[in-house]
Short mmCIF file of all heavy atoms in Angstrom, two decimals:
data_model
loop_
_atom_site.label_atom_id
_atom_site.label_comp_id
_atom_site.label_asym_id
_atom_site.label_seq_id
_atom_site.Cartn_x
_atom_site.Cartn_y
_atom_site.Cartn_z
N GLY A 1 63.33 -67.64 29.01
CA GLY A 1 62.41 -68.46 29.78
C GLY A 1 62.11 -67.80 31.11
O GLY A 1 62.62 -66.71 31.41
N LEU A 2 61.31 -68.45 31.91
CA LEU A 2 60.94 -67.86 33.20
C LEU A 2 62.15 -67.65 34.11
O LEU A 2 62.16 -66.71 34.90
CB LEU A 2 59.90 -68.73 33.90
CG LEU A 2 58.51 -68.74 33.26
CD1 LEU A 2 57.55 -69.61 34.08
CD2 LEU A 2 57.95 -67.34 33.11
N THR A 3 63.18 -68.48 34.01
CA THR A 3 64.36 -68.29 34.86
C THR A 3 65.21 -67.10 34.42
O THR A 3 66.14 -66.72 35.12
CB THR A 3 65.23 -69.56 34.91
OG1 THR A 3 65.61 -69.90 33.58
CG2 THR A 3 64.49 -70.71 35.58
N ASP A 4 64.87 -66.50 33.29
CA ASP A 4 65.55 -65.29 32.83
C ASP A 4 64.82 -64.02 33.27
O ASP A 4 65.28 -62.91 33.04
CB ASP A 4 65.65 -65.28 31.29
CG ASP A 4 66.45 -66.46 30.78
OD1 ASP A 4 67.58 -66.66 31.26
OD2 ASP A 4 65.94 -67.19 29.90
N VAL A 5 63.67 -64.19 33.90
CA VAL A 5 62.86 -63.03 34.31
C VAL A 5 63.51 -62.32 35.48
O VAL A 5 63.90 -62.94 36.47
CB VAL A 5 61.41 -63.46 34.64
CG1 VAL A 5 60.64 -62.34 35.31
CG2 VAL A 5 60.72 -63.93 33.37
N VAL A 6 63.61 -61.01 35.35
CA VAL A 6 64.20 -60.16 36.38
C VAL A 6 63.11 -59.57 37.27
O VAL A 6 63.32 -59.36 38.47
CB VAL A 6 65.02 -59.02 35.74
CG1 VAL A 6 65.60 -58.09 36.78
CG2 VAL A 6 66.12 -59.58 34.86
N LYS A 7 61.92 -59.29 36.72
CA LYS A 7 60.83 -58.68 37.48
C LYS A 7 59.51 -58.92 36.79
O LYS A 7 59.45 -58.99 35.57
CB LYS A 7 61.05 -57.17 37.61
CG LYS A 7 59.97 -56.50 38.45
CD LYS A 7 60.12 -55.01 38.51
CE LYS A 7 59.15 -54.35 39.46
NZ LYS A 7 57.77 -54.81 39.40
N THR A 8 58.46 -59.08 37.59
CA THR A 8 57.11 -59.17 37.06
C THR A 8 56.21 -58.13 37.73
O THR A 8 56.49 -57.66 38.83
CB THR A 8 56.47 -60.56 37.29
OG1 THR A 8 56.35 -60.80 38.69
CG2 THR A 8 57.25 -61.67 36.63
N THR A 9 55.14 -57.81 37.03
CA THR A 9 54.07 -57.00 37.59
C THR A 9 52.77 -57.73 37.27
O THR A 9 52.54 -58.13 36.12
CB THR A 9 54.04 -55.58 36.99
OG1 THR A 9 55.32 -54.98 37.17
CG2 THR A 9 52.99 -54.72 37.68
N ILE A 10 51.95 -57.92 38.30
CA ILE A 10 50.70 -58.65 38.16
C ILE A 10 49.56 -57.70 38.51
O ILE A 10 49.53 -57.13 39.60
CB ILE A 10 50.67 -59.86 39.12
CG1 ILE A 10 51.89 -60.74 38.90
CG2 ILE A 10 49.36 -60.65 38.97
CD1 ILE A 10 52.23 -61.61 40.08
N TYR A 11 48.66 -57.54 37.55
CA TYR A 11 47.49 -56.68 37.75
C TYR A 11 46.26 -57.55 37.88
O TYR A 11 46.05 -58.46 37.07
CB TYR A 11 47.31 -55.76 36.54
CG TYR A 11 48.51 -54.90 36.23
CD1 TYR A 11 49.49 -55.34 35.35
CD2 TYR A 11 48.67 -53.65 36.82
CE1 TYR A 11 50.59 -54.55 35.06
CE2 TYR A 11 49.77 -52.86 36.54
CZ TYR A 11 50.72 -53.32 35.65
OH TYR A 11 51.82 -52.53 35.37
N VAL A 12 45.43 -57.25 38.88
CA VAL A 12 44.18 -57.99 39.08
C VAL A 12 43.06 -56.96 39.22
O VAL A 12 43.13 -56.07 40.07
CB VAL A 12 44.24 -58.87 40.36
CG1 VAL A 12 42.95 -59.67 40.51
CG2 VAL A 12 45.45 -59.80 40.31
N ALA A 13 42.06 -57.08 38.37
CA ALA A 13 40.94 -56.13 38.40
C ALA A 13 39.98 -56.53 39.52
O ALA A 13 38.95 -57.16 39.30
CB ALA A 13 40.24 -56.11 37.05
N SER A 14 40.38 -56.17 40.73
CA SER A 14 39.59 -56.50 41.91
C SER A 14 40.09 -55.68 43.10
O SER A 14 41.27 -55.36 43.17
CB SER A 14 39.71 -57.98 42.26
OG SER A 14 38.98 -58.30 43.42
N SER A 15 39.19 -55.40 44.00
CA SER A 15 39.59 -54.77 45.26
C SER A 15 39.60 -55.80 46.39
O SER A 15 39.86 -55.45 47.54
CB SER A 15 38.64 -53.62 45.62
OG SER A 15 37.32 -54.12 45.77
N ARG A 16 39.37 -57.07 46.05
CA ARG A 16 39.37 -58.13 47.04
C ARG A 16 40.75 -58.76 47.14
O ARG A 16 41.28 -59.30 46.17
CB ARG A 16 38.35 -59.21 46.66
CG ARG A 16 36.91 -58.71 46.66
CD ARG A 16 35.94 -59.82 46.39
NE ARG A 16 36.33 -60.98 47.17
CZ ARG A 16 36.07 -62.22 46.83
NH1 ARG A 16 35.44 -62.50 45.72
NH2 ARG A 16 36.46 -63.22 47.59
N ARG A 17 41.31 -58.72 48.33
CA ARG A 17 42.64 -59.29 48.55
C ARG A 17 42.68 -60.77 48.17
O ARG A 17 43.67 -61.26 47.65
CB ARG A 17 43.05 -59.08 50.01
CG ARG A 17 44.45 -59.59 50.29
CD ARG A 17 45.02 -59.11 51.61
NE ARG A 17 45.53 -57.76 51.43
CZ ARG A 17 45.04 -56.67 52.03
NH1 ARG A 17 44.03 -56.77 52.83
NH2 ARG A 17 45.57 -55.50 51.82
N GLU A 18 41.59 -61.49 48.40
CA GLU A 18 41.54 -62.91 48.06
C GLU A 18 41.80 -63.13 46.57
O GLU A 18 42.45 -64.11 46.18
CB GLU A 18 40.18 -63.52 48.45
CG GLU A 18 39.86 -63.44 49.92
CD GLU A 18 39.24 -62.09 50.33
OE1 GLU A 18 38.74 -61.34 49.46
OE2 GLU A 18 39.28 -61.78 51.52
N ASP A 19 41.27 -62.25 45.73
CA ASP A 19 41.49 -62.37 44.29
C ASP A 19 42.95 -62.13 43.94
O ASP A 19 43.52 -62.82 43.10
CB ASP A 19 40.59 -61.40 43.52
CG ASP A 19 39.12 -61.76 43.61
OD1 ASP A 19 38.80 -62.93 43.88
OD2 ASP A 19 38.28 -60.85 43.40
N LEU A 20 43.56 -61.15 44.59
CA LEU A 20 44.98 -60.87 44.34
C LEU A 20 45.82 -62.07 44.75
O LEU A 20 46.72 -62.49 44.01
CB LEU A 20 45.44 -59.62 45.09
CG LEU A 20 45.17 -58.30 44.38
CD1 LEU A 20 43.70 -57.96 44.35
CD2 LEU A 20 45.95 -57.19 45.04
N VAL A 21 45.53 -62.66 45.90
CA VAL A 21 46.28 -63.82 46.38
C VAL A 21 46.07 -65.01 45.44
O VAL A 21 47.02 -65.75 45.15
CB VAL A 21 45.88 -64.17 47.83
CG1 VAL A 21 46.46 -65.51 48.26
CG2 VAL A 21 46.33 -63.07 48.79
N THR A 22 44.88 -65.19 44.93
CA THR A 22 44.61 -66.28 43.99
C THR A 22 45.48 -66.13 42.74
O THR A 22 46.13 -67.10 42.31
CB THR A 22 43.12 -66.30 43.60
OG1 THR A 22 42.35 -66.60 44.77
CG2 THR A 22 42.84 -67.33 42.52
N ALA A 23 45.52 -64.95 42.17
CA ALA A 23 46.36 -64.71 40.99
C ALA A 23 47.82 -64.91 41.33
O ALA A 23 48.58 -65.54 40.59
CB ALA A 23 46.11 -63.31 40.43
N TRP A 24 48.25 -64.38 42.47
CA TRP A 24 49.64 -64.49 42.91
C TRP A 24 50.05 -65.96 43.03
O TRP A 24 51.12 -66.35 42.57
CB TRP A 24 49.82 -63.79 44.25
CG TRP A 24 51.15 -64.02 44.86
CD1 TRP A 24 51.48 -64.91 45.83
CD2 TRP A 24 52.37 -63.36 44.50
NE1 TRP A 24 52.82 -64.84 46.11
CE2 TRP A 24 53.39 -63.89 45.29
CE3 TRP A 24 52.69 -62.37 43.57
CZ2 TRP A 24 54.71 -63.47 45.20
CZ3 TRP A 24 54.00 -61.95 43.49
CH2 TRP A 24 55.00 -62.50 44.30
N ASP A 25 49.20 -66.77 43.64
CA ASP A 25 49.52 -68.19 43.83
C ASP A 25 49.73 -68.90 42.50
O ASP A 25 50.64 -69.73 42.36
CB ASP A 25 48.43 -68.89 44.65
CG ASP A 25 48.44 -68.48 46.12
OD1 ASP A 25 49.44 -67.89 46.59
OD2 ASP A 25 47.42 -68.73 46.79
N VAL A 26 48.93 -68.59 41.52
CA VAL A 26 49.08 -69.20 40.19
C VAL A 26 50.41 -68.77 39.58
O VAL A 26 51.18 -69.61 39.09
CB VAL A 26 47.91 -68.81 39.26
CG1 VAL A 26 48.20 -69.21 37.82
CG2 VAL A 26 46.61 -69.43 39.75
N VAL A 27 50.70 -67.48 39.62
CA VAL A 27 51.94 -66.97 39.01
C VAL A 27 53.16 -67.56 39.72
O VAL A 27 54.08 -68.08 39.09
CB VAL A 27 51.97 -65.44 39.04
CG1 VAL A 27 53.32 -64.89 38.59
CG2 VAL A 27 50.85 -64.88 38.16
N ARG A 28 53.18 -67.51 41.03
CA ARG A 28 54.35 -68.03 41.78
C ARG A 28 54.56 -69.51 41.52
O ARG A 28 55.69 -69.97 41.46
CB ARG A 28 54.16 -67.78 43.29
CG ARG A 28 54.32 -66.36 43.71
CD ARG A 28 55.64 -65.68 43.35
NE ARG A 28 56.79 -66.50 43.58
CZ ARG A 28 57.84 -66.60 42.76
NH1 ARG A 28 57.88 -65.90 41.66
NH2 ARG A 28 58.86 -67.37 43.04
N SER A 29 53.48 -70.27 41.38
CA SER A 29 53.64 -71.70 41.14
C SER A 29 54.35 -71.96 39.82
O SER A 29 55.08 -72.95 39.69
CB SER A 29 52.30 -72.42 41.18
OG SER A 29 51.52 -72.11 40.03
N GLN A 30 54.18 -71.12 38.85
CA GLN A 30 54.83 -71.28 37.55
C GLN A 30 56.32 -70.95 37.60
O GLN A 30 57.09 -71.50 36.83
CB GLN A 30 54.15 -70.40 36.51
CG GLN A 30 52.71 -70.76 36.25
CD GLN A 30 52.56 -72.16 35.69
OE1 GLN A 30 53.20 -72.50 34.70
NE2 GLN A 30 51.75 -72.97 36.32
N PHE A 31 56.71 -70.05 38.50
CA PHE A 31 58.11 -69.65 38.59
C PHE A 31 58.95 -70.59 39.45
O PHE A 31 60.17 -70.56 39.39
CB PHE A 31 58.23 -68.21 39.12
CG PHE A 31 58.05 -67.19 38.05
CD1 PHE A 31 56.79 -66.71 37.74
CD2 PHE A 31 59.14 -66.70 37.35
CE1 PHE A 31 56.62 -65.76 36.75
CE2 PHE A 31 58.98 -65.75 36.35
CZ PHE A 31 57.71 -65.29 36.05
N GLY A 32 58.32 -71.42 40.27
CA GLY A 32 59.06 -72.35 41.10
C GLY A 32 60.05 -71.65 42.01
O GLY A 32 59.72 -70.68 42.68
N GLU A 33 61.30 -72.12 42.01
CA GLU A 33 62.34 -71.57 42.88
C GLU A 33 62.84 -70.19 42.43
O GLU A 33 63.50 -69.51 43.18
CB GLU A 33 63.53 -72.53 42.95
CG GLU A 33 63.20 -73.86 43.61
CD GLU A 33 62.81 -73.68 45.07
OE1 GLU A 33 63.50 -72.96 45.80
OE2 GLU A 33 61.78 -74.26 45.46
N HIS A 34 62.54 -69.82 41.21
CA HIS A 34 62.99 -68.52 40.68
C HIS A 34 62.00 -67.44 41.14
O HIS A 34 61.05 -67.10 40.46
CB HIS A 34 63.08 -68.56 39.16
CG HIS A 34 63.67 -67.32 38.58
ND1 HIS A 34 65.00 -67.00 38.69
CD2 HIS A 34 63.10 -66.31 37.89
CE1 HIS A 34 65.23 -65.85 38.09
NE2 HIS A 34 64.08 -65.41 37.59
N ASP A 35 62.23 -66.94 42.35
CA ASP A 35 61.29 -66.00 42.97
C ASP A 35 61.69 -64.55 42.69
O ASP A 35 62.00 -63.78 43.59
CB ASP A 35 61.15 -66.28 44.46
CG ASP A 35 62.46 -66.21 45.23
OD1 ASP A 35 63.54 -66.16 44.59
OD2 ASP A 35 62.42 -66.20 46.47
N ALA A 36 61.66 -64.19 41.43
CA ALA A 36 62.04 -62.84 40.99
C ALA A 36 61.18 -61.78 41.68
O ALA A 36 60.03 -62.05 42.05
CB ALA A 36 61.87 -62.73 39.48
N PRO A 37 61.73 -60.57 41.86
CA PRO A 37 60.94 -59.49 42.43
C PRO A 37 59.65 -59.30 41.62
O PRO A 37 59.64 -59.47 40.40
CB PRO A 37 61.84 -58.26 42.29
CG PRO A 37 63.22 -58.81 42.23
CD PRO A 37 63.10 -60.13 41.53
N SER A 38 58.59 -58.97 42.33
CA SER A 38 57.30 -58.81 41.67
C SER A 38 56.47 -57.77 42.39
O SER A 38 56.62 -57.57 43.60
CB SER A 38 56.55 -60.15 41.67
OG SER A 38 55.37 -60.05 40.90
N THR A 39 55.61 -57.13 41.64
CA THR A 39 54.64 -56.20 42.21
C THR A 39 53.26 -56.74 41.89
O THR A 39 52.99 -57.13 40.75
CB THR A 39 54.81 -54.79 41.61
OG1 THR A 39 56.13 -54.33 41.91
CG2 THR A 39 53.79 -53.82 42.18
N LEU A 40 52.38 -56.77 42.89
CA LEU A 40 51.02 -57.26 42.75
C LEU A 40 50.08 -56.10 43.03
O LEU A 40 50.16 -55.49 44.09
CB LEU A 40 50.78 -58.40 43.75
CG LEU A 40 49.38 -58.97 43.86
CD1 LEU A 40 48.94 -59.62 42.56
CD2 LEU A 40 49.32 -59.98 45.01
N LEU A 41 49.21 -55.81 42.06
CA LEU A 41 48.33 -54.65 42.18
C LEU A 41 46.87 -55.02 41.95
O LEU A 41 46.56 -55.77 41.03
CB LEU A 41 48.69 -53.60 41.12
CG LEU A 41 50.10 -53.06 41.12
CD1 LEU A 41 50.39 -52.36 39.81
CD2 LEU A 41 50.25 -52.10 42.27
#
């Protein structure tokens, strides 16, 4: 499950920081308190 996740990588096909933050907010909301290391690109 998500609480077993050790690391994520999130790819967003955009050069706009706002789009990256939008995707990030959705992903983080799903993980709740389990804030595993992540890379956002």
